[in-house]
Amino acid sequence: MSHYKIHTVMKDNATVRPGECTRLDEPNLSVEDLKLLYRTMVLNRNLDGKMLNLQRQGRLGFYLTSTGEEATHIGSAFAMAKNDWVFPCYREPGAALIRGFALQDYVNQCYGNADDLAKGRQMPCHYGHKETHLVTISSPVGTQIPHAVGAAWGAKIKGDDTVVIGYFGDGATSQGDFHVGINFAGVYKAPVILFCRNNGYAISTPFATQTASESIVIKAQAYGVEGVLVDGNDILAVIAVTRRAHERARSGKGATLIEALTYRVGAHSTSDDPTVYRQDEELNEWKEKDPIERLKNYMKEKNIWNVDYEHRLQEETKAEVNLAVERAEKIGPPPVESLFDDVFADLNPILREQKQEMLRFVGSHKEE
Amino acid sequence: MAVMNIIQAINNALRLEMRRDKRVVIMGEDVGKFGGVFRATSGLADEFGAARVVDTPLSEGGIIGTAIGMALYGMRPVPEIQFADFIFPGFDQIVNEAAKSRYRSGAQFPVPMVIRTPYGGGIRGGHYHSQSPEAYFIHTPGLKVVVPSNPYEAKGLLLSAIRDEDPVIFLEPKRVYRASKGEVPEGEYTIPLGKADITQAGTDITVIAWGSMLHTVLKAEKEVRKENISLEIVNLRTLSPWDFETVIESVKKTGRALVVQEAPKTCGFGGEIVATIMEKAFFNLQAPVLRVTGWDTPFPYTLENDYLPNPARILDACKRIME
C-alpha cells in the first residue's frame, strides 16, 4: 500500500481495512444538508432503475447507470460553490441534479426531444447546463480533463475566485489527456479539483490492466499536485476532502487529485454484460458497502432517518421520475430545421444550401 | 500605412487585439520571452506579462485542450502550435471537442479560439516541418479554416478570427513569412472570413489558390501571359467556409479552371473545389478542370522542389487546359 491513506469519516469501516485509513472530522452539515444529500442519492438510484427499465422496454435508446457510486459525485458536487464550474463525464448525474439541473431537463436530454437543451444531438447521459456551469459531456474518455484545467487556469488569469472540478473514471487515467491536464494543472497551480471515481472497471477492463501503479492518487506526486485518497462510498469523507481541496484551490495553492474508491455495481452501459467478466462474490461484497445504506445508518443514529421518512422519500422520488418520463415521452422530436443550427454561430451559404436540399427530401418522405 | 512582412503583421494584430480585449491569451511553446520560433509573438510578453503570453509545457495536446477549457470559461485563447506538423497530438481535442461543443450543447458552450500555426514547405524542413494539413480540418463540421497569403490579409483575417465566435484554424504560410511584404494599415481593420479575393481579373482560366501557393501562381502567371493566356486568379483566403460563389461566378465567365494546392492530391481540398465546379458550372466548362498539387508521398527533404507545385507545372497545366 502506498503512503496515501484512505480518508474516511464514517465509523462503520465498511470499505476500508483498519490501519489503512486516516479518520477525518465530520464535515459541518446541517440536518437539511444531510437530507438533501440523502434525497439526491435516492433520487439518483431511482432514476437509474427507471431509465434502465425504459431501455429494456425499448423506450430509451441507451443508458449509463451510476449505481453504487452516488456518494462520489453527489458529495463532491455538494462541496462546490455556486459560481464554480463542473466538467463531468457520463456517470455523475447526481452532481448535475444537486447543482440545480432540473430532472425534467435531464430526462428530456435522454429522450433527445424538442425540449432537450441540446436539441437531441447526443446519446442519453450527455447533458450540459450553462446556468449551473455544467459543461456538456462528450463520449471520448478523458477529454474533459484538460478543459477543466484550462477553465480553472482561465479563471485564475481573469482574477475570479472560481474553482473547477473535473470528473473521470479510472480508465481515463490511461489517456494522454489525463497526464497532459494534470501536468498543466501542476505547472500553473490551476484552481482545479481532478476527481477520479476509481470504480474498478473500464467496461470489462479491471484496474490492474489500466496501470502498474499501486493507485491513481500516487500519480499526483509525479506532477507536483496534492493527492488525496478517499473512501468513495463514505459521502461525508468525500465532502470533507473536496472541501479541503476547494479551500486549497481558492487560496492559490493549486490543484488536487482526488481518488475516490468505489465500485461500479451496474454494467458499464446498457450494451454491456458484466457477468461475463466479474464474479458475484466481488459484486456482493461491494453491495454491502452501499453508500446510500451507509448514509442512512449514519442518519438513523442521529435520529434524522426513520422508516416513514424512507417510505415517503421513495414514493416521492419515484413519482418525480415517473412524471418527468411521462412528460418527456409526450414531447416530440426537435424540428428538422434545427439540424443545421449551431454548427457555427451563423448559418453559412454552404450549410444554407444543404439545408434547402434536406428540407426538400423531408417533404417527399412525409408524402410516402 | 507601414510596410510589414507577415510575421510583423501577425504580431501587430495580436498586440492590438490584446490591448482591446483582456480576454485574449496567447499560449504555446516558447511564445513568451523568446517570442516564438518564428518571432510572431516577439515583445508581447513584455507588454502584457507572462500570465497572458504564456510559455507552456511541450505538449500540443495540452495547449489545445486547456485552451478549449479557457474558451469555454469565456476567455479568447490564441494558442500557437509551433509547426502545423505537430498539431496532431491535439487532433482529437480539435475535431471532437472544439469543433463540436457548440453543436452538442445546443449553443450553450461555444469555443471561440484561434489556433495559429505555420504550415507548408519550401523551407527545407522535411517531413515534419513542411506539411499542409488543411483538408483534415476543412472536413470537420464546426471548424473554420483560414489561410492568409500576405501581410495585409494576415492582420485583417487574424483580427476577424479572434473576434469570431467559433474555433478557427489559422494556417500561416511560413515560406513567405518574411518574403511577403506590403503596406499594412497600423490601426485595426478586419477582412471578413468566408470571402475570397480576386487577386487578378482575367478571361481564359480561373486559377484557385491560397496561402503560399498564391505566390507560386503569380510567378507562373508571368510565363502563362507570354503564351497569350489570361488568368483570373482567385485567392480563397478562407477554406472553411469557402467562397464557392466567387469561384463559380468566375468559372462561368472563363469556362476553365485550375486548382493549385500544396498538399497531396488525393482527398485534398482541390478535389472538393473541382467537384463543386462540376455540380454548379459543368455546362459552362470548355475543358477538364485540372489540379496542380503536391504528390501523394510524404513531404520529402532533399527533393522538396520536385514535390512542390512550381511555375513550370502550372504553365504546363494551363497549356493543356487551353488545347
Side-chain angles (χ1 to χ4, degrees):
Chain A
M1 205 51 211
S2 76
H3 63 284
Y4 289 95
K5 289 196 171 184
I6 304 168
H7 288 79
T8 60
V9 169
M10 290 180 179
K11 299 204 169 63
D12 55 11
N13 274 336
T15 304
V16 297
R17 287 180 288 276
E20 289 178 358
C21 69
T22 302
R23 180 103 38 214
L24 296 169
D25 291 339
E26 289 185 11
N28 185 19
L29 295 167
S30 67
V31 171
E32 285 68 40
D33 290 338
L34 287 166
K35 284 187 165 174
L36 173 67
L37 290 164
Y38 188 68
R39 187 183 207 286
T40 310
M41 289 170 95
V42 169
L43 173 65
N44 194 123
R45 183 72 58 94
N46 286 332
L47 180 62
D48 271 357
K50 177 74 177 181
M51 300 313 254
L52 201 57
N53 275 335
L54 290 170
Q55 196 278 337
R56 284 177 182 151
Q57 292 165 25
R59 285 156 74 185
L60 196 65
F62 172 84
Y63 202 70
L64 291 147
T65 65
S66 58
T67 303
E69 300 180 46
E70 294 90 346
T72 60
H73 56 270
I74 293 170
S76 53
F78 174 81
M80 302 299 287
K82 207 171 173 184
N83 67 319
D84 291 337
W85 280 54
V86 181
F87 289 75
C89 86
Y90 42 64
R91 215 183 293 284
E92 297 98 15
L97 297 171
I98 205 160
R99 282 183 64 81
F101 183 51
L103 181 64
Q104 189 66 56
D105 286 334
Y106 178 89
V107 177
N108 286 342
Q109 194 284 323
C110 289
Y111 274 87
N113 65 26
D115 282 0
D116 169 14
L117 295 173
K119 309 179 192 178
R121 297 205 175 117
Q122 291 208 91
M123 290 170 79
C125 307
H126 292 65
Y127 40 87
H129 189 223
K130 192 172 173 60
E131 260 171 71
T132 50
H133 308 148
L134 186 82
V135 180
T136 302
I137 296 158
S138 72
S139 307
V141 169
T143 52
Q144 73 281 10
I145 299 169
H147 302 170
V149 174
W153 181 12
K156 186 177 174 178
I157 294 170
K158 227 174 133 196
D160 295 348
D161 69 353
T162 309
V163 178
V164 179
I165 188 165
Y167 290 100
F168 48 95
D170 41 305
T173 65
S174 300
Q175 294 277 19
D177 276 340
F178 167 75
H179 298 273
V180 151
I182 193 170
N183 186 44
F184 274 60
V187 169
Y188 299 107
K189 285 199 182 319
V192 67
I193 300 167
L194 300 175
F195 194 102
C196 178
R197 293 173 294 93
N198 183 353
N199 65 13
Y201 288 90
I203 306 188
S204 72
T205 309
F207 179 74
T209 306
Q210 290 302 338
T211 178
S213 296
E214 59 199 16
S215 66
I216 299 295
V217 71
I218 198 170
K219 295 167 199 264
Q221 210 179 0
Y223 293 104
V225 309
E226 185 76 1
V228 181
L229 189 60
V230 66
D231 175 355
N233 284 13
D234 175 345
I235 195 165
L236 303 180
V238 171
I239 293 169
V241 298
T242 310
R243 279 182 175 172
R244 220 158 63 174
H246 192 272
E247 219 174 274
R248 190 183 152 78
R250 270 224 179 138
S251 62
K253 289 185 186 139
T256 303
L257 171 66
I258 296 176
E259 177 182 2
L261 296 172
T262 184
Y263 190 78
R264 198 193 72 210
V265 170
H268 160 71
S269 76
T270 48
S271 310
D272 176 31
D273 175 13
T275 61
V276 177
Y277 55 82
R278 278 197 323 205
Q279 302 302 316
D280 282 349
E281 271 170 32
E282 184 183 275
L283 179 64
N284 292 333
E285 195 185 306
W286 276 92
K287 276 185 171 170
E288 280 169 27
K289 303 168 189 170
D290 186 87
I292 299 184
E293 287 299 312
R294 292 176 69 191
L295 181 60
K296 178 200 283 182
N297 291 336
Y298 174 85
M299 289 165 71
K300 195 175 168 185
E301 248 174 57
K302 303 220 162 203
N303 290 321
I304 304 168
W305 181 93
N306 61 42
V307 177
D308 280 351
Y309 168 71
E310 180 72 23
H311 184 72
R312 217 170 42 242
L313 190 60
Q314 290 291 346
E315 292 300 305
E316 262 175 35
T317 51
K318 281 177 186 164
E320 268 177 55
V321 172
N322 287 339
L323 182 65
V325 168
E326 218 174 281
R327 284 182 177 155
E329 288 191 336
K330 281 191 193 127
I331 302 164
V336 71
E337 291 82 1
S338 70
L339 183 70
F340 287 86
D341 295 345
D342 310 325
V343 180
F344 297 105
D346 301 308
L347 197 65
N348 65 44
I350 294 169
L351 289 173
R352 199 175 301 130
E353 212 180 78
Q354 291 181 13
K355 184 176 174 178
Q356 294 303 323
E357 193 171 344
M358 179 205 62
L359 289 175
R360 213 158 54 82
F361 281 88
V362 171
S364 66
H365 178 73
K366 276 180 191 162
E367 281 161 25
E368 275 170 17
Chain B
M1 289 282 213
V3 174
M4 294 185 195
N5 61 30
I6 292 180
I7 286 290
Q8 290 163 333
I10 286 166
N11 186 274
N12 182 242
L14 291 170
R15 190 182 296 275
L16 292 180
E17 200 57 8
M18 288 191 83
R19 283 180 189 161
R20 196 188 73 90
D21 187 347
K22 294 256 178 300
R23 299 171 303 169
V24 177
V25 173
I26 290 172
M27 52 207 284
E29 294 154 14
D30 313 301
V31 299
K33 268 268 171 274
F34 185 56
V37 294
F38 290 101
R39 328 296 303 154
T41 56
S42 189
L44 298 179
D46 288 337
E47 180 168 347
F48 302 103
R52 286 181 70 203
V53 186
V54 196
D55 281 325
T56 64
L58 206 167
S59 168
E60 290 81 9
I63 294 165
I64 293 165
T66 53
I68 292 170
M70 272 197 202
L72 287 165
Y73 188 75
M75 306 293 278
R76 291 270 159 160
V78 186
E80 175 182 297
I81 298 300
Q82 210 160 69
F83 287 85
D85 313 69
F86 304 146
I87 205 165
F88 299 103
F91 193 63
D92 180 47
Q93 285 288 348
I94 296 171
V95 303
N96 267 334
E97 301 296 325
K100 294 173 173 68
S101 185
R102 175 187 291 280
Y103 195 75
R104 75 174 179 230
S105 68
Q108 293 184 95
F109 293 104
V111 179
M113 67 188 281
V114 181
I115 301 174
R116 287 183 43 247
T117 186
Y119 84 96
I123 61 146
R124 297 191 63 75
H127 285 352
Y128 302 115
H129 298 77
S130 304
Q131 296 172 77
S132 298
E134 68 273 5
Y136 298 113
F137 303 109
I138 302 166
H139 192 61
T140 302
L143 294 178
K144 294 187 179 179
V145 180
V146 176
V147 190
S149 71
N150 61 44
Y152 175 78
E153 288 176 358
K155 180 173 173 181
L157 289 168
L158 184 54
L159 287 174
S160 285
I162 299 173
R163 293 173 193 182
D164 199 87
E165 299 301 322
D166 288 300
V168 179
I169 309 292
F170 196 85
L171 296 166
E172 300 170 359
K174 64 175 172 288
R175 184 189 194 175
V176 291
Y177 254 162
R178 288 188 173 78
S180 176
K181 287 181 193 142
E183 295 267 318
V184 176
E186 279 159 288
E188 290 173 27
Y189 66 94
T190 56
I191 297 173
L193 305 188
K195 291 278 173 241
D197 178 52
I198 297 181
T199 306
Q200 178 186 294
T203 53
D204 296 327
I205 306 174
T206 300
V207 182
I208 301 119
W210 55 90
S212 57
M213 278 300 107
L214 187 75
H215 298 272
T216 307
V217 169
L218 288 169
K219 260 182 223 156
E221 194 274 338
K222 295 192 179 86
E223 304 302 314
V224 176
R225 199 190 306 169
K226 291 176 191 159
E227 305 289 324
N228 285 321
I229 302 169
S230 160
L231 300 184
E232 175 144 306
I233 302 170
V234 179
N235 168 16
L236 285 182
R237 303 200 293 201
T238 300
L239 305 186
S240 178
W242 68 291
D243 185 356
F244 68 89
E245 283 151 336
T246 295
V247 171
I248 295 302
E249 203 181 311
S250 172
V251 174
K252 280 183 175 168
K253 190 179 80 178
T254 59
R256 300 175 194 88
L258 169 71
V259 183
V260 181
Q261 149 200 311
E262 190 174 323
K265 186 172 194 176
T266 302
C267 276
F269 188 55
E272 180 61 33
I273 296 170
V274 175
T276 305
I277 292 170
M278 290 308 186
E279 286 172 357
K280 295 180 186 294
F282 180 77
F283 294 108
N284 301 87
L285 288 176
Q286 297 177 41
V289 181
L290 296 188
R291 285 173 286 173
V292 173
T293 71
W295 309 118
D296 286 351
T297 67
F299 198 100
Y301 175 64
T302 306
L303 301 177
E304 76 172 336
N305 289 332
D306 296 296
Y307 174 93
L308 287 165
N310 61 22
R313 286 173 59 193
I314 294 169
L315 174 64
D316 178 73
C318 289
K319 283 187 191 165
R320 280 191 286 146
I321 289 171
M322 294 306 292
E323 265 167 19

